[in-house]
Amino acid sequence: MKITTKYGISLWSCIVLLGTITSSYVTLAQSAQSKSYCDYVNPFIGTQGEGNTYPAAVAPFGMIQIGPDTDIERWETASGYEYSDTLLYGFSLTHFSGTGIPDFGDFLFVPSTGKVKTFGGKRDTYNSSSYRTRFDHRQESASPGYYSVRLPEYDITAEMTAADRAGLLRFTFPQTDSANIMIDLKHVLQWKVIWSQVRIMDDSTITGYHYVKGWARDRKVYFAARFSKKFERSGIYRNGRIVEYDPFKTYRFVSRYEAADTSLQFFAAYRTTAGEAITVKVAVSGVSTENALLNMNTEIPHWNFSHVVNETRDKWNNELMKIDVEGTDDEKTTFYSSMYHLCLTPFIYQDVDGSYLGMDKSVHQAQWFTNYTVFSLWDTYRAVHPLFMLIQNGRNADMINSMLKHYEQSVNHLLPVWSFYGNETWCMIGYHAVPVIADAVVKGLKGIDAGKCYDAVKATAMNREYDNVMLYAKLGYLPFDIENESVSKTLEYGYDDYCVAQMAKYLGKTDDYNYFINRSKAYRNLFDKQTGYMRGKDSKGNWRTPFSLDECSEDLRQRDFTEGTSRQYTWYVPQDVQGLVALMGRDLFEARLDTLFALNIPGNNQTAEDATGRIGEYWHGNEPSHHIIFLYDYIGKPWKTQSLVHKVVSTQYGSKPNSLCGNDDCGQMSAWYIFNALGFYPVCPSGSYYAIGSPCLPKAVVNLSNGRKLTIISNNLTKDNIYIRSMTINGSEWNKSYIPFEEIRNGGEIVFNMTNKPNKKWGTAKESLPPAE
Amino acid sequence: MKITTKYGISLWSCIVLLGTITSSYVTLAQSAQSKSYCDYVNPFIGTQGEGNTYPAAVAPFGMIQIGPDTDIERWETASGYEYSDTLLYGFSLTHFSGTGIPDFGDFLFVPSTGKVKTFGGKRDTYNSSSYRTRFDHRQESASPGYYSVRLPEYDITAEMTAADRAGLLRFTFPQTDSANIMIDLKHVLQWKVIWSQVRIMDDSTITGYHYVKGWARDRKVYFAARFSKKFERSGIYRNGRIVEYDPFKTYRFVSRYEAADTSLQFFAAYRTTAGEAITVKVAVSGVSTENALLNMNTEIPHWNFSHVVNETRDKWNNELMKIDVEGTDDEKTTFYSSMYHLCLTPFIYQDVDGSYLGMDKSVHQAQWFTNYTVFSLWDTYRAVHPLFMLIQNGRNADMINSMLKHYEQSVNHLLPVWSFYGNETWCMIGYHAVPVIADAVVKGLKGIDAGKCYDAVKATAMNREYDNVMLYAKLGYLPFDIENESVSKTLEYGYDDYCVAQMAKYLGKTDDYNYFINRSKAYRNLFDKQTGYMRGKDSKGNWRTPFSLDECSEDLRQRDFTEGTSRQYTWYVPQDVQGLVALMGRDLFEARLDTLFALNIPGNNQTAEDATGRIGEYWHGNEPSHHIIFLYDYIGKPWKTQSLVHKVVSTQYGSKPNSLCGNDDCGQMSAWYIFNALGFYPVCPSGSYYAIGSPCLPKAVVNLSNGRKLTIISNNLTKDNIYIRSMTINGSEWNKSYIPFEEIRNGGEIVFNMTNKPNKKWGTAKESLPPAE
């Protein structure tokens, strides 16, 4: 697929436009030569199949994501856009990137000609009475901050661009007496609009809101839209009927300028000349229509479409350049598209005046930090936030500050589990805000209050109600007759508790350290020595019998694992891999790992939606597997890790719409790739080191947030030369299969020397192995 | 019915408690001797039948009205309480006083013992599975700011009292293991909860809100409740099921501290000892739960129930004493209950920090005025606001300021028609914010900006969309083939335009004066000389044929009148009664009036719900008739007015639950009584005089807002001596059948000398008749 960008800008115009440009930016921008970083981003990657990304126009970490929706009915199309679809509904203002569950799709903009249609149509029945319309990828393009598509049935070109909270949609019409722009307030992805309001403010401006009972049970979104051309005709449909006063039907007066109900559409109608463009300026707010207007007027006070495109493109280049890589165009496309996906979530969730709707449904002011939302923490604690700890320190600190506010405002006094737009979904398991915060605290991240962090983290880990955490604390494991997914939860709680312990140690709280480090050993209580697997245990101490390695039961009473089986979860002791090796025995450990990647179990499709990106029973498409490849490092078999890294990178990533084998999960799949392109991976965030994989690009310069540079050079890297023959860190020979954070926190140079055969001497000595954390 | 008040307070305790007491208050309070004004208020008046008042605990113009709901299904029970009912649902926080359409009933508090019931039951099916419970008027009492009732089925006594935005509910339980206080967020009167949320904040506090699609299409109300005793058990029901985490049913964690949906109930459960009282502190807000908490904590920082009772009682005495009357206990009960009803609506609609939700659905700050809501203007422009112009100047100014904010925030740029809680209902006809504002401007009310008032008034009267006003302006009438209720609208627009003209004159806008005074003559275009009645005319100038005097058609195309027929509406030319006399001819005018009060048309029940309080075809139960009695003054037959005033007062008012013959309509029925008890009535608000009726009480002292006193003495008044033999104003003989506002604006003394026979010499000379305004 060819990405055409109308707004490719030169290096120099880019530099001129960037007001706050740093000298390092100039250097980096120059090294990118004639192509900008944005030129290597293909937003369509992940839009086909499981990836669940979107091609919408969006700024980095932007609150508005303006793009096409092709599906509102299928669970699998969580972003609203599936590349295989041939029809689209229109263009809505908000989208998730890569989640496994749909939501958003707020406020659909539908340009058309002819009679205004108010009904989008059902997926399986396409007919001309519904507004869904055909499109073709050959007449579609997307780049960072820009999306366009041609709608041949109407002879309309739709383009859109986005600032942080506001954006522009530009519709180029044919000559017609009946050009329409309709806004459907009822449209959302999958879920249900509980209530909505729309208000025609003047001859070219409307505002509105809707409340959605969705994955977020109680989500409120407000918007404003201003049209570049005065409405020639305009109106509101309520439940399919035009809202207007009729003395002999409606009896009492009816304002045609506002309506409230569950199904509302606004339309503006025009006569247009051939090629006439009408632009709609839009903005969203989580607080009020007034604030949506404020966001709109503040961020885009003009009508210059390409100015917004260029500004946002500059913002993107500024984020993407944080890692400057060399490689083929295809490799760079994969890499920068991953960087792009990384920088979509969590996104800002506050208006230009700092106000946002909190977890307590009250409006708060973020006065000294920027409030973020969309915390997919079960996914993102693994690699997204660890990557932010290298290159997005400021944002990561504010994400943590946002989580602390969530904790303060939470009626359960809990840190977020899976939250967005002031709602907790309780999706997934564990308390994985903890590793994110712990990693930041123990690494000394600036901009957060370590004491407050610890209070929130400890209160969360000691909560008496959430998912039987305190029963786990008491028994040392969760019994399967009392809690579902008891094995996965026990294991993940253990890791989270290790993170609490690290914070306690850092803060000199010895008693707490001892308490939590003890809790973190819980995995031992569910390791069944007889089978050598993690196995459910009931409250009387009996093992789950019968015990299936491959079944992930739909019966919650039988379900001991989360989106997986014991085959994946047995490896989930990131905080004490050496402990697990000791428990299992080194040989069995290795054999089991070998088997995992080699197994082929045809009937094992119980959790088929998650079991994607399969290499045997290693499922790269879902997070529980993400650290497993690196476990070979711990037993002195790093070449197996190295080989598998390249196998995953070459088979599970790429530059095509279907190149993501699983949900990108708010950047986690992409972050996995980025780390592995560099050559290492944070097996145990909040721990002290990264496990070494195998670099996938010849050179990378990581512009650390502290202003230092970490340069990674992979000499002699080819398709075959995927094994580390030797390496140096800051000029010194490096034989360990892990890199302490302290070695690179202030930048430096890592040089990998690659070869086509496993070097069975490198990283194999006992002192070279990654230690227990 | 006997009103028992637990908190009758002595004069002196009352004086001591009143912090801001004025010297005039002391004088007045002393003149009330051992009984306080509040002792003469029976809140049950109007609760049986058409009155639609409530017995709830409420402060003067208070935003919270805490009281029992006996009905949620019947249109006729608009306040939620019908005295004839024998079952009640519980006690909700908000109520309308006297409207013809139900709404409010927000947040029902249900005390009980035994199993918590979450369903109130249907009106026609009473059974023990629903929470509706029996009550008996013998164990019920109400007084200003206080309500109590015994619930024999549960052996519970429920008491409630209210401050401005907050209140207390005290439930006295028997000894039981299962005392419950349930709050039903789904409960509202008649309409539908679109969405709601509840949140258990701590061990004794909850907050919540609901959004109601009601008469107000988009109404949002927030509340807070704090319990005097920590919850022993508590929980939330959603759609009838307890909200709790069950690992094997709910799968993911569920917080038991919050829920959002369309059907929510919260409960707190206790073990209680015999006679144990649990008090719940409550508050409402139109802005947020945070503000509801703020209102609660600010207004009632303590748990002293009787302190709130006494404070509110003091506030009531302070309002009621604005007119100090003499009379029998029964007369004083009728009078002060009318004063009480007068001082319920419009009520304050802003939080203690000044914030309120505006018509534009944004939160605004009322910084220099107090924001009010519930504008039933078609009713209240007639006598409520004219009375406020005498005794509630400050509030009336702020009500006008609130209406100006409505205008500013209105997407239609219109003053309110019938509005509440940031919603316009468009109920009834005309633009009767105009007479309220015009009356204030031309009488020089302080605290309003006359220029802004005029802008809003003129913009409203010139609106190009509202109810075909500009077609009326063009044609001089509304054609019945284009607009419904065209005759009533033409006539009422004409009066409103007279009011605009008065403002224009006052402000020196001569062109505008000429324009609007010309519009105000529109009634002439619909006066059919042949029949001598107001009659519909189509756009070609043809009279409505056939023409029925008595039919008020349900077919909107046939319906030329509003809640009435030509028999009532022919008299609707308050601004130019002498013009109407001239048109109709004096003899016919009198004969027609005589007929009106004498007619008995058995089949005339087309608008039966409004045609109440009948004296012939004079329907005192609805507003179009309210000025008619005084029209005899204009033809020199004031004794007929005098006789009819007493007929209406003696037959349509009283001190019993069924003593209001029609909807009190936010105080209009009561205000009619108050004026007539004094002896005069504002036939044409914004005009220069009152028509004289006949006083109904021996003495009244009106404490005008400017600090002056208007004393009215009725010598020799008895049941038979209802005619004015003679009168003086400030010591001078007064022979005119009207009183110019200028005569009394600075107080003074009116002395009526009453007799038992019509004095056909008084008020009959040509120069004595009320002139055309």
Side-chain angles (χ1 to χ4, degrees), chain A residues 6 150 154-157 159 170-176 272-278:
Chain A
K6 239 178 152 169
R150 179 122 189 98
Y154 298 125
D155 193 16
I156 290 172
T157 297
E159 297 169 285
R170 177 164 67 185
F171 303 115
T172 304
F173 288 97
Q175 180 180 352
T176 175
T272 50
T273 54
E276 180 175 349
I278 297 175

Side-chain angles (χ1 to χ4, degrees), chain A residues 696-772:
Chain A
C696 300
L697 296 172
K699 186 177 176 188
V701 178
V702 183
N703 292 283
L704 299 173
S705 290
N706 59 9
R708 309 298 181 96
K709 283 183 196 305
L710 173 66
T711 302
I712 298 155
I713 294 166
S714 307
N715 291 320
N716 210 27
L717 175 68
T718 66
K719 199 178 154 217
D720 297 321
N721 294 351
I722 58 172
Y723 296 103
I724 297 171
R725 195 193 61 207
S726 64
M727 66 180 284
T728 61
I729 297 185
N730 296 329
S732 302
E733 190 79 12
W734 191 265
N735 280 311
K736 295 175 177 145
S737 61
Y738 64 97
I739 305 174
F741 174 68
E742 290 301 324
E743 286 290 326
I744 59 165
R745 72 179 303 157
N746 290 317
E749 189 180 63
I750 302 172
V751 178
F752 293 101
N753 298 303
M754 308 304 289
T755 179
N756 64 352
K757 291 203 185 70
N759 177 356
K760 299 195 176 177
K761 289 181 183 163
W762 182 88
T764 55
K766 199 174 177 189
E767 62 276 13
S768 297
L769 308 188

Side-chain angles (χ1 to χ4, degrees), chain A residues 195 199-200 209 211 217-218 220 245 247 251 253 255 257 260-261 409 411-412 465 482-485, chain B residues 195 199-200 209 211 217-218 220 245 247 251 253 255-257 260-261 409 411-412 465 483-485:
Chain A
W195 195 243
R199 194 172 152 90
I200 305 174
Y209 61 74
Y211 301 153
R217 172 166 280 269
D218 185 18
K220 301 178 168 72
Y245 175 48
Y251 184 24
F253 184 66
S255 170
Y257 298 115
D261 216 307
Q409 296 157 5
V411 77
N412 288 84
E465 305 199 44
I482 293 180
E483 184 68 35
N484 69 38
E485 301 181 354
Chain B
W195 195 243
R199 193 171 154 91
I200 304 175
Y209 61 74
Y211 301 153
R217 173 166 277 270
D218 184 17
K220 301 178 169 72
Y245 176 48
Y251 184 24
F253 184 67
S255 170
R256 64 185 201 84
Y257 299 115
D261 216 309
Q409 296 158 5
V411 77
N412 288 84
E465 305 198 43
E483 185 68 34
N484 68 39
E485 300 181 353

Side-chain angles (χ1 to χ4, degrees), chain A residues 132-145:
Chain A
R132 212 156 45 128
T133 190
R134 296 189 193 285
F135 75 110
D136 185 324
H137 296 306
R138 287 168 300 185
Q139 294 184 302
E140 185 189 30
S141 88
S143 59

Side-chain angles (χ1 to χ4, degrees), chain B residues 669-685:
Chain B
M669 284 287 280
S670 293
W672 191 99
Y673 170 83
I674 294 165
F675 267 118
N676 279 287
L678 301 180
F680 51 88
Y681 187 81
V683 167
C684 177

Side-chain angles (χ1 to χ4, degrees), chain B residues 421-730:
Chain B
Y421 261 68
N423 281 264
E424 177 57 84
T425 69
W426 305 114
C427 187
M428 308 314 295
I429 65 169
Y431 28 104
H432 297 308
V434 169
V436 176
I437 296 173
D439 199 30
V441 168
V442 301
K443 290 188 167 72
L445 181 67
K446 288 182 184 138
I448 56 172
D449 178 325
K452 279 194 180 172
C453 284
Y454 187 71
D455 290 346
V457 157
K458 185 176 173 184
T460 298
M462 299 297 286
N463 188 282
R464 302 211 157 266
E465 305 198 43
Y466 176 67
D467 272 11
N468 274 312
V469 167
M470 293 314 288
L471 179 63
Y472 142 90
K474 185 179 163 199
L475 298 181
Y477 69 98
L478 277 174
F480 66 72
D481 51 339
I482 293 181
E483 185 68 34
N484 68 39
E485 300 181 353
S486 58
V487 179
S488 293
K489 285 178 182 174
T490 298
L491 295 173
E492 296 196 16
Y493 293 172
Y495 163 65
D496 290 339
D497 286 345
Y498 162 82
C499 298
V500 185
Q502 300 318 299
M503 287 180 78
K505 187 164 69 178
Y506 180 88
L507 296 168
K509 297 172 188 289
T510 310
D511 289 351
D512 279 9
Y513 172 78
N514 290 332
Y515 171 78
F516 282 105
I517 205 73
N518 184 48
R519 274 174 47 162
S520 81
K521 307 295 184 197
Y523 73 93
R524 296 180 183 173
N525 299 321
L526 293 187
F527 184 79
D528 173 20
K529 294 211 170 177
Q530 204 173 357
T531 60
Y533 280 103
M534 297 295 174
R535 182 173 178 183
K537 193 184 271 183
D538 71 12
S539 49
K540 292 178 182 157
N542 300 313
W543 293 114
R544 166 74 76 188
T545 306
F547 172 48
S548 166
L549 274 179
D550 295 311
E551 195 188 11
C552 181
S553 177
E554 288 188 1
D555 175 356
L556 293 173
R557 291 194 171 275
Q558 303 292 324
R559 185 166 182 153
D560 298 343
F561 297 90
T562 301
E563 296 186 357
T565 70
S566 187
R567 285 201 196 276
Q568 295 85 40
Y569 259 99
T570 289
W571 308 108
Y572 193 86
V573 194
Q575 73 277 22
D576 192 15
V577 181
Q578 294 301 3
L580 180 65
V581 171
L583 266 183
M584 201 184 285
R586 193 182 174 103
D587 293 344
L588 183 60
F589 191 95
E590 182 176 6
R592 277 280 162 78
L593 278 177
D594 291 348
T595 307
L596 181 74
F597 292 99
L599 263 180
N600 183 4
I601 306 172
N604 187 11
N605 57 1
Q606 287 275 11
T607 56
E609 78 268 32
D610 306 309
T612 57
R614 287 186 174 203
I615 299 174
E617 287 301 295
Y618 172 85
W619 303 344
H620 191 69
N622 207 14
E623 279 69 11
S625 292
H626 278 191
H627 68 298
I628 298 178
I629 281 175
F630 309 95
L631 300 188
Y632 283 111
D633 281 349
Y634 292 76
I635 52 169
K637 303 284 169 77
W639 63 89
K640 292 195 177 181
T641 294
Q642 293 157 28
S643 167
L644 281 163
V645 163
H646 281 267
K647 185 163 186 182
V648 169
V649 164
S650 61
T651 62
Q652 309 301 331
Y653 291 93
S655 59
K656 303 219 162 31
N658 66 356
S659 287
L660 279 176
C661 63
N663 302 153
D664 195 48
D665 282 325
C666 302
Q668 169 56 24
M669 284 287 280
S670 293
W672 191 99
Y673 170 83
I674 294 165
F675 267 118
N676 279 287
L678 301 180
F680 51 88
Y681 187 81
V683 167
C684 177
S686 94
S688 60
Y689 61 79
Y690 306 92
I692 294 175
S694 173
C696 301
L697 295 173
K699 185 177 178 190
V701 179
V702 183
N703 292 283
L704 300 172
S705 290
N706 59 10
R708 310 296 181 98
K709 283 185 197 304
L710 173 65
T711 302
I712 298 155
I713 294 165
S714 307
N715 292 320
N716 210 28
L717 175 67
T718 66
K719 201 180 154 220
D720 297 321
N721 294 350
I722 58 172
Y723 296 102
I724 297 171
R725 196 193 61 205
S726 65
M727 65 182 283
T728 61
I729 298 184
N730 297 327

